[in-house]
Amino acid sequence: MMKNWRLWTGFLLSIAAFISYFAFFYRFPITRDVPWVNFILFVAATVLLIAGVRRSQRKIWSGIVAFLGIAVFAFFVFAVTVASRRLPPSHGAPHVGQKAPDFTLLDSNGKSVTLSGLLANSPRGVLLVFYRGYW
Amino acid sequence: MRPVVISVDAPQVSENLRRKVGYTFTFLSDPNTEAIRRYDLLHKGAGENGHDIARPAEFLIDRSGTVRWTNLTEDLRIRARPEQMLAAAREVR
């Protein structure tokens, strides 16, 4: 294993590049919206993996490791481009200038609340935030 | 400007989250996706075990009930930033 440090460092770096996005870099808009830190890590991992295969005597084994490392990169690109953009079009959502549809829902204390009631007590308006839940 | 947040979570789930993170604004529960569908924000089967949930979206509504600003992200990872929402709120009197 030590004989081919480039290959194994590249493989571990690829895994680290994947995990560190969701575990750390996702927290900060500057490294979340465009995952540039993780892309740099993945490119470095890919360079090491390719160098590792070139220097390896066992091309098939090293090729499999390199393939898996690069597959992690490919999956990451898929996750942050295609998968995270799978959203309904929501063409019927209220537009600027329209009346916001009223509703009645329970708050977190189990009390019934209406949008019109909230607005009546909010002279500067209401910021309505829909989120995915399941925390 | 008063923040009000809505999800399909049960009131108790929202209350646990609210206490855990220390938020003081209103959390609303929409388990039957009534308001979520009225705002055309239903994301079918996107929740745990294929549950329907809300797609992320933000609306600023003035006291007359008129929508003054909206943000419907095209990417789940990218939400409205606090400074964007505060800037929009400053425009509303």
Side-chain angles (χ1 to χ4, degrees), chain B residues 3-75:
Chain B
V4 173
V5 302
I6 301 180
S7 76
V8 296
D9 288 349
Q12 195 54 53
V13 175
S14 299
E15 183 62 11
N16 293 344
L17 167 66
R18 195 187 69 73
R19 287 191 180 190
K20 196 174 108 192
V21 292
Y23 292 146
T24 54
F25 48 76
T26 305
F27 278 66
L28 298 180
S29 286
D30 191 8
N32 303 318
T33 67
E34 290 164 43
I36 292 166
R37 275 179 284 133
R38 207 164 296 165
Y39 280 69
D40 194 20
L41 302 172
L42 192 70
H43 196 171
K44 275 188 179 294
E48 271 177 10
N49 305 320
H51 275 102
D52 295 344
I53 59 171
R55 55 108 85 217
E58 298 86 27
F59 300 86
L60 185 64
I61 302 161
D62 70 17
R63 63 186 305 188
S64 78
T66 305
V67 178
R68 299 290 295 271
W69 172 87
T70 70
N71 179 65
L72 280 96
T73 185
E74 292 180 346
D75 190 317

Side-chain angles (χ1 to χ4, degrees), chain A residues 32 84 92 101-102 108 128 134, chain B residues 9 15 38-40 59 77:
Chain A
R32 176 190 61 210
S84 73
D102 202 7
S108 60
L128 209 54
Y134 288 113
Chain B
D9 288 349
E15 183 62 11
R38 207 164 296 165
Y39 280 69
D40 194 20
F59 300 86
R77 297 175 303 114

Side-chain angles (χ1 to χ4, degrees), chain A residues 9-56:
Chain A
T9 306
F11 183 73
L12 294 175
L13 187 59
S14 182
I15 305 279
F18 188 88
I19 293 170
S20 65
Y21 179 74
F22 300 97
F24 182 72
F25 293 112
Y26 191 81
R27 292 186 210 166
F28 316 103
I30 195 164
T31 49
R32 176 190 61 210
D33 295 1
V34 177
W36 58 275
V37 175
N38 302 82
F39 282 135
I40 290 172
L41 294 174
F42 272 120
V43 168
T46 303
V47 169
L48 286 166
L49 287 167
I50 292 168
V53 174
R54 283 191 166 177
R55 283 160 190 264
S56 171

Side-chain angles (χ1 to χ4, degrees), chain A residues 26-134:
Chain A
Y26 191 81
R27 292 186 210 166
F28 316 103
I30 195 164
T31 49
R32 176 190 61 210
D33 295 1
V34 177
W36 58 275
V37 175
N38 302 82
F39 282 135
I40 290 172
L41 294 174
F42 272 120
V43 168
T46 303
V47 169
L48 286 166
L49 287 167
I50 292 168
V53 174
R54 283 191 166 177
R55 283 160 190 264
S56 171
Q57 260 97 64
R58 295 186 299 170
K59 296 281 185 204
I60 291 173
W61 283 110
S62 59
I64 290 169
V65 173
F67 174 81
L68 290 174
I70 293 166
V72 173
F73 188 6
F75 182 67
F76 181 76
V77 172
F78 173 80
V80 299
T81 54
V82 180
S84 73
R85 289 178 159 267
R86 272 191 200 141
L87 284 168
S90 300
H91 295 308
H95 295 288
V96 172
Q98 288 181 336
K99 282 276 178 217
D102 202 7
F103 51 75
T104 308
L105 295 172
L106 295 182
D107 72 9
S108 60
N109 298 312
K111 204 177 93 211
S112 186
V113 170
T114 62
L115 177 63
S116 46
L118 289 167
L119 287 167
N121 295 313
S122 316
R124 303 206 56 190
V126 164
L127 178 70
L128 209 54
V129 176
F130 289 85
Y131 68 105
R132 291 161 60 80
Y134 288 113

